[in-house]
Amino acid sequence: SQQGEEDPQALSIQEGENATMNCSYKTSINNLQWYRQNSGRGLVHLILIRSNEREKHSGRLRVTLDTSKKSSSLLITASRAADTASYFCATAVVDSSYKLIFGSGTRLLVRP
Amino acid sequence: GAGVSQSPSNKVTEKGKDVELRCDPISGHTALYWYRQSLGQGLEFLIYFQGNSAPDKSGLPSDRFSAERTGGSVSTLTIQRTQQEDSAVYLCASSLGALNTEAFFGQGTRLTVV
């Protein structure tokens, strides 16, 4: 079963606007990661936030984590047409294996 | 190699045939993952290898699916007696296998069962 569920499933914004995507998960985690996928092929790692962290920044990306609500958000500021892609959250479940379980993804369209 | 390599990039097979998909992880990565992604959907976990531990096969959808990882490096995902519902992109990823490390993905194999 899916560990993470992203919301919204699809998002369309104008270039220059901010995009916010949310991820909810079910079980305790070691960390939560966000990935980007272009054209339905390989995924690229964007940012990792540990379970004891609440906020992390990387360039135009800002990630928050609320372990009490089992949720995370990804904010992309000043979006560009090149940010158009699918974005997935992935959780490293607390067990001995550290395997990554992915959510269903948010499809982001940034209109020029 | 420089990245995770998967072969073939595309595979068209007839229903009922067996297929093998190959993944070459990044050298030194002890963890290897297989995922399946149907068109427009999320990533479905299939199987996870970590070092010399027994693989986590909890995501394999049926006994027609199996995977091996030889010598802690190359992995092969085998689908026997393929069905049309097996059509998807199969993605492989590898990581250092330690806590708080990222996964690196290959470009996937697009499998089409006709």
Side-chain angles (χ1 to χ4, degrees):
Chain A
S1 64
Q2 294 282 24
Q3 159 75 325
E5 296 293 334
E6 281 91 337
D7 168 57
Q9 291 186 342
L11 180 61
S12 179
I13 60 173
Q14 201 72 35
E15 201 166 31
E17 294 180 338
N18 296 341
T20 299
M21 290 160 266
N22 303 296
C23 169
S24 60
Y25 57 92
K26 299 174 184 174
T27 62
S28 296
I29 61 172
N30 286 313
N31 67 67
L32 186 145
Q33 306 180 30
W34 285 90
Y35 288 79
R36 167 190 168 133
Q37 183 181 41
N38 286 54
S39 305
R41 286 297 189 130
L43 281 73
V44 175
H45 180 263
L46 295 176
I47 195 165
L48 180 154
I49 185 164
R50 304 182 183 198
S51 59
N52 62 352
E53 297 177 314
R54 293 297 168 259
E55 188 171 313
K56 203 161 183 180
H57 297 254
S58 177
R60 293 184 296 113
L61 305 180
R62 172 179 170 255
V63 169
T64 62
L65 179 64
D66 187 334
T67 54
S68 67
K69 295 182 179 178
K70 290 186 168 57
S71 67
S72 173
S73 67
L74 171 67
L75 168 68
I76 304 174
T77 60
S79 64
R80 305 166 182 169
D83 294 329
T84 294
S86 291
Y87 292 82
F88 295 88
C89 69
T91 50
V93 179
V94 175
D95 61 16
S96 60
S97 65
Y98 309 140
K99 72 185 180 187
L100 287 176
I101 302 297
F102 282 77
S104 51
T106 293
R107 294 186 304 279
L108 173 66
L109 172 65
V110 181
R111 304 186 305 274
Chain B
V4 178
S5 177
Q6 290 189 247
S7 60
S9 296
N10 292 281
K11 176 72 176 179
V12 180
T13 189
E14 292 181 351
K15 178 181 173 181
K17 300 281 190 182
D18 298 352
V19 294
E20 287 189 350
L21 312 180
R22 177 187 169 103
C23 174
D24 281 277
I26 293 173
S27 178
H29 280 192
T30 60
L32 187 146
Y33 313 75
W34 283 100
Y35 297 90
R36 177 170 72 174
Q37 186 177 33
S38 299
L39 188 62
Q41 302 299 311
L43 275 69
E44 176 188 4
F45 169 78
L46 296 178
I47 189 168
Y48 169 73
F49 296 89
Q50 167 59 4
N52 296 320
S53 301
D56 181 337
K57 304 179 181 180
S58 59
L60 294 178
S62 76
D63 57 9
R64 295 187 296 105
F65 288 73
S66 63
E68 291 184 339
R69 188 178 186 193
T70 54
S73 182
V74 171
S75 177
T76 302
L77 177 68
T78 301
I79 308 173
Q80 295 178 312
R81 306 181 301 282
T82 51
Q83 304 295 313
Q84 288 187 330
E85 60 263 29
D86 299 334
S87 296
V89 175
Y90 289 81
L91 291 162
C92 175
S94 70
S95 77
L96 288 172
L99 187 61
N100 297 322
T101 57
E102 66 185 272
F104 294 81
F105 279 80
Q107 289 303 300
T109 294
R110 183 179 302 279
L111 175 66
T112 304
V113 182
V114 298

